[in-house]
Amino acid sequence: MRTLSFRQAINEALHEEMARDERVFILGEDVARMGGDFGVTRGLWAKFGDRRVKDTPLSEAAILGVANGAAFAGLRPIAEIMFADFITECYDQLVNNSAKAHYMYNGQLQCPIVVRTACGAGFRAAYHHSQVVEAFFMNVPGLTIVAPATPYDAKGLLKTAIRDDNPVIFLEHKLLYDLKGDVPAEDYCLPIGEAIIRRPGQDITIVSSMKMVHEALRAAEQLAARGIIAEVIDLRTLIPYDHETIAASVSKTGRVILAFEGPQTGNYGAEIAAFLADSCFNDLKAPIKRVCSLDVPVPFAPVMEDYVLPEAADIVSAAMALIGD
Amino acid sequence: MGLSTEALLSLYYDMVLVRRFEETVDTYAKKGLIPGFLHLSIGQEACQVGAIRALKQADYKFPDHRSHGICLLAGSPRERVMAEIFGKKTGLCGGKGGSMHIADVMVGNMGNNAIQGSIMATGLGTAVAAQIKGTEQVTAIFIGDGTVGRGEFHESLNLAATWKLPIVYILVNNHYAISTHTERAHPVKDLVEMAGGYHIPGVIIDGNDVEAVYDAVTAAVARARQGEGPTLLELKTYRWQGHFSGDPAAYRPQEEVKTWKDRCPLKRCRERLLNTHQVAEAELQALERKAEEEITAMLAFTLASPDPAPADAVQHVYVGREVAGR
């Protein structure tokens, strides 16, 4: 099988979907001539031209406004918000229009947009280029949030997101762009709402997404050396999420760590914790544990950033505490 | 340029209809039969009537926050506009929208929206879609003077001017954003001056003169359709009532209100019909009665309409994905 980077996998999905469907177009800051700040949209402008690959001014509200309005008019826009932190600049469009247009006008409008955005810390870029933003959108019915961890999933899920009739926020953790993985040459799509078990186990469940999946896998490796076999679940899509896979795993292991990158208070994992407390209470042998960032902004100096972020070692310690070595 | 008598009579009818419509929903809101907020456009009828007449049904319309008249005249079954405001199942949005969120996509009404400025961004998208698809559709974005303060005002005009988008911005300046006079919110007397910064035409129009509004919007629409880009129109007018039905509007001097009531757009049109067009008084009265009858029929339809089922609340959250009810 071919090996592609996460970046190449997304780029290939964009090429294929634009070739497949005339209605798909791309807009964002520096996406056309430059090919995107992270190089994800390279080659698209040369192939599809100004009409379908558009550089915009620094106008995130306008970018999302164009996406929403064009979607209402029957097109299938893909908007790139260069850094997820900038999504606050188009929060109104996403929360009040993308998410609600289908609902408040009683199904007359559809909003089939994809908002691709680079998120996540560990890049030494601090406050305004490092946040994960899924929790910003957890209380907004109407949105779908996709958060892949591998090149294979990134390609298959992006293709599904583009074909989906709902607004999809597609999160790309910037530290994954160079991650390599197997990606088949043939056309494939992956379903929204299905998690995957990255590593089977019976002693403890680790639920995570994006970069934290890889931290969880490293942690599982270290735990295995101590005779603890962890099951690692990669959610892949955050809204909707795969209740069944999580509940089945936790019912089996009785112990769970929710490993997500954002600050702890109101972290995405809080929703999973609430769900598990409700659905698996009688199967739990230990408290539900979250492994997250500290409740501080993402700081600049590398030693401080590393101190704030969660990593494999934090998951290992949490697991040891839960199992009681 | 001077409209035909027939055309002006028709515009007059529409203005009377909007006036009676607003008076009726105001009455029923005060009776407690209409939930939520109601932003009435009494005094501003010429803006809505003149503008909507200059647009085609295929054009995209984004009505502003005070836009019952636009929704009423866009081509929808009119009784369903009233039913929507009452929150009825027979409303254009099945009771999900109400006064502030009325759409009828079949006639190009893309929905009013309760976030001021939001549609300035969204309207870019229908214009971009028309450009990409190569259709002749124009996008009309209606805003109030308060929206000039929003960041989307800049983002929208900047992008529309740069990309030469087929947009007509219809800025209905009624001089107050709730209680705040434009003079206390913006540095220019004529908001249309803002257009200069984007190198697009800006035109001031007497918003109480329905013919002037119709002519100005017609010209701006023609310009947009020919691919020459956006225009910013400033329609100077005044709302007779407070910001919402029930707002006593104590923040406005009474003499100011009186001055503007003297400039009533209906009265002006009526006098023009009587004096310049030699229409008989009896004919105008017949027209006014007809408008009353149309409102009476709408009201009967609305009051006889059922409420939505409570569980309709879980429909249309997602396309093709169910959301659990209670």
Side-chain angles (χ1 to χ4, degrees):
Chain A
M1 196 182 284
R2 300 179 311 162
T3 296
L4 292 183
S5 71
F6 194 82
R7 173 190 289 105
Q8 288 168 323
I10 295 170
N11 181 266
E12 199 171 82
L14 295 170
H15 271 280
E16 289 177 11
E17 291 305 298
M18 287 193 73
R20 188 187 63 82
D21 188 345
E22 264 286 310
R23 298 170 299 171
V24 177
F25 74 100
I26 293 180
L27 79 163
E29 293 155 13
D30 306 306
V31 297
R33 284 153 187 79
M34 178 177 158
D37 202 42
F38 289 96
V40 177
T41 55
R42 267 179 214 147
L44 290 160
W45 178 67
K47 186 161 181 195
F48 297 101
D50 283 325
R51 198 171 67 94
R52 293 179 65 198
V53 185
K54 294 177 181 298
D55 280 329
T56 69
L58 307 191
S59 300
E60 285 80 8
I63 291 169
L64 254 293
V66 170
N68 284 334
F72 299 161
L75 298 183
R76 302 185 84 84
I78 301 169
E80 176 173 311
I81 298 299
M82 187 187 287
F83 284 86
D85 314 72
F86 308 166
I87 219 159
T88 53
E89 301 300 315
C90 50
Y91 200 65
D92 168 59
Q93 283 296 323
L94 279 165
V95 170
N96 290 316
N97 293 336
S98 313
K100 295 178 178 56
H102 183 60
Y103 184 84
M104 67 184 174
Y105 303 127
N106 209 27
Q108 293 183 67
L109 293 176
Q110 294 189 357
C111 192
I113 67 168
V114 176
V115 182
R116 295 182 36 251
T117 191
C119 68
F123 204 62
R124 311 316 190 198
Y127 317 96
H128 304 148
H129 294 80
S130 297
Q131 295 169 84
V132 290
V133 297
E134 57 271 21
F136 296 6
F137 296 101
M138 282 304 292
N139 236 286
V140 187
L143 296 177
T144 296
I145 304 178
V146 176
T150 67
Y152 176 81
D153 283 359
K155 182 175 176 188
L157 284 166
L158 181 55
K159 285 167 72 85
T160 305
I162 294 167
R163 298 179 193 189
D164 196 277
D165 289 329
N166 296 290
V168 179
I169 298 174
F170 190 88
L171 301 175
E172 301 169 7
H173 197 294
K174 58 180 83 75
L175 288 194
L176 297 179
Y177 277 135
D178 292 324
L179 179 77
K180 295 253 186 359
D182 291 344
V183 179
E186 59 271 20
D187 184 41
Y188 69 97
C189 287
L190 294 174
I192 284 172
E194 282 188 17
I196 188 166
I197 295 172
R198 291 278 173 215
R199 180 184 173 121
Q202 72 283 341
D203 298 330
I204 187 166
T205 301
I206 307 169
V207 186
S208 61
S209 76
M210 299 190 282
K211 176 172 157 272
M212 286 305 289
V213 171
H214 303 281
E215 297 294 333
L217 288 169
R218 269 192 284 280
E221 201 66 42
Q222 292 168 29
L223 287 167
R226 302 186 195 198
I228 296 166
I229 309 305
E231 180 148 291
V232 175
I233 296 176
D234 173 0
L235 283 184
R236 304 200 286 185
T237 66
L238 302 178
I239 296 179
Y241 64 88
D242 186 342
H243 296 71
E244 291 75 21
T245 297
I246 304 169
S249 176
V250 173
S251 293
K252 176 177 68 181
T253 63
R255 295 181 179 88
V256 62
I257 291 172
L258 307 170
F260 295 93
E261 184 175 307
Q264 176 159 305
T265 303
N267 181 286
Y268 175 81
E271 164 59 27
I272 307 298
F275 162 66
L276 289 172
D278 198 31
S279 61
C280 298
F281 188 77
N282 293 325
D283 297 321
L284 287 168
K285 298 173 195 156
I288 298 168
K289 183 74 184 166
R290 285 181 288 170
V291 172
C292 321
S293 285
L294 301 179
D295 277 334
V296 300
V298 181
F300 174 63
V303 290
M304 284 198 280
E305 185 180 30
D306 292 344
Y307 175 73
V308 164
L309 290 178
E311 57 179 1
D314 300 311
I315 299 172
V316 171
S317 321
M320 297 310 291
L322 287 182
I323 288 171
D325 52 335
Chain B
M1 61 186 85
L3 288 170
S4 70
T5 303
E6 192 188 5
L8 193 59
L9 273 170
S10 161
L11 290 173
Y12 178 65
Y13 178 84
D14 284 355
M15 285 201 291
V16 174
L17 191 74
V18 173
R19 172 77 51 100
R20 297 292 167 260
F21 184 92
E22 296 289 58
E23 288 168 350
T24 304
V25 293
D26 189 25
T27 302
Y28 279 80
K30 284 169 179 157
K31 285 183 184 177
L33 290 174
I34 297 180
F37 301 129
L38 214 50
H39 305 96
L40 303 173
S41 56
I42 294 173
Q44 303 183 184
E45 295 88 349
C47 302
Q48 303 184 343
V49 170
I52 204 78
R53 187 64 66 88
L55 293 158
K56 291 184 180 169
Q57 217 166 76
D59 292 330
Y60 296 108
K61 276 84 66 178
F62 288 87
D64 63 295
H65 204 46
R66 195 175 298 288
S67 56
H68 294 162
I70 297 163
C71 300
L72 192 65
L73 301 173
S76 305
R78 290 171 181 172
E79 67 281 6
R80 294 191 61 201
V81 177
M82 186 181 276
E84 186 57 45
I85 290 169
F86 277 69
K88 299 292 189 181
K89 189 171 178 71
T90 55
L92 282 175
C93 301
K96 276 213 182 89
S99 164
M100 295 186 287
H101 325 89
I102 304 172
D104 187 355
V105 175
M106 296 294 288
V107 300
N109 175 358
M110 305 305 283
N112 57 353
N113 184 301
I115 307 289
Q116 308 313 313
S118 212
I119 58 168
M120 292 204 75
T122 319
L124 294 167
T126 51
V128 166
Q131 210 174 50
I132 287 177
K133 293 196 262 187
T135 72
E136 292 201 330
Q137 290 158 292
V138 166
T139 293
I141 302 176
F142 293 82
I143 57 171
D145 46 274
T147 297
V148 172
R150 292 297 319 278
E152 284 87 343
F153 181 86
H154 168 67
E155 291 197 20
S156 186
L157 265 66
N158 183 64
L159 194 77
T162 306
W163 288 5
K164 283 200 179 315
L165 295 178
I167 295 179
V168 179
Y169 294 100
I170 300 167
L171 196 177
V172 178
N173 181 358
N174 67 15
H175 298 89
Y176 284 88
I178 306 189
S179 72
T180 305
H181 195 278
T182 46
E183 284 175 7
R184 294 197 293 119
H186 309 291
V188 290
K189 185 163 173 290
D190 297 317
L191 298 173
V192 81
E193 279 186 43
M194 305 273 187
Y198 306 97
H199 288 215
I200 63 170
V203 186
I204 297 175
I205 300 120
D206 179 346
N208 283 17
D209 181 343
V210 71
E211 270 190 273
V213 173
Y214 172 78
D215 288 346
V217 178
T218 299
V221 166
R223 186 173 180 278
R225 241 190 264 293
Q226 283 155 21
E228 290 168 37
T231 302
L232 177 64
L233 304 176
E234 181 181 1
L235 281 49
K236 306 256 194 196
T237 186
Y238 200 78
R239 61 169 149 86
W240 288 10
Q241 297 205 342
H243 171 62
F244 55 88
S245 169
D247 169 16
Y251 43 81
R252 304 189 302 191
Q254 279 314 299
E255 51 279 22
E256 180 184 276
V257 178
K258 188 186 173 304
T259 305
W260 278 96
K261 282 189 174 176
D262 290 343
R263 299 178 194 158
C264 173
L266 276 66
K267 194 171 82 180
R268 273 173 69 177
C269 186
R270 198 178 199 281
E271 281 166 4
R272 194 172 298 166
L273 284 163
L274 281 169
N275 302 329
T276 312
H277 291 262
Q278 307 287 309
V279 175
E281 171 68 27
E283 189 178 346
L284 292 176
Q285 286 181 10
L287 210 64
E288 287 154 2
R289 273 198 305 278
K290 193 175 152 228
E292 295 277 4
E293 285 160 15
E294 190 175 344
I295 296 292
T296 305
M298 274 183 222
L299 190 59
F301 170 86
T302 298
L303 295 175
S305 290
D307 288 334
D312 287 355
V314 295
Q315 287 178 358
H316 301 303
V317 182
Y318 292 95
V319 181
R321 199 188 307 159
E322 299 292 315
V323 169
R326 291 210 177 273

